[in-house]
Amino acid sequence: MNDTADLVRRWRHQRGMSQARLAELAGTGQAAISRIESGRDLPTLVLLDRIASALDCQLTVAFTSHSGQTPPTT
């Protein structure tokens, strides 16, 4: 399991939505939602954005450091 899987499943449950309904709203198949929620697949950012929209959520992507280091500079 991974954070993405857990978040998609929790938001979907909170919205009282089936995997099939989420898939329909996100423009994908129910099997894809199942694979994402089980952690077997990691969705693309495009699909994650569509899933977030279907769940009435905002997708935020961030890189953070566990050690408190600042990001590398170019």
Side-chain angles (χ1 to χ4, degrees):
M1 181 98 42
N2 59 52
D3 290 341
T4 300
D6 187 48
L7 286 170
V8 170
R9 188 178 49 262
R10 283 192 291 152
W11 277 105
R12 181 179 61 77
H13 281 233
Q14 185 179 42
R15 298 292 192 256
M17 209 179 281
S18 68
Q19 287 182 347
R21 179 64 177 147
L22 176 56
E24 178 183 339
L25 293 172
T28 191
Q30 182 273 328
I33 299 298
S34 177
R35 288 190 306 271
I36 291 165
E37 289 187 0
S38 69
R40 290 180 286 152
D41 273 356
L42 287 174
T44 64
L45 285 176
V46 170
L47 180 53
L48 267 179
D49 189 51
R50 293 192 329 242
I51 290 170
S53 179
L55 293 170
D56 194 28
C57 298
Q58 180 179 350
L59 176 63
T60 303
V61 179
F63 288 89
T64 60
S65 170
H66 294 289
S67 65
Q69 295 175 328
T70 58
T73 58
T74 55

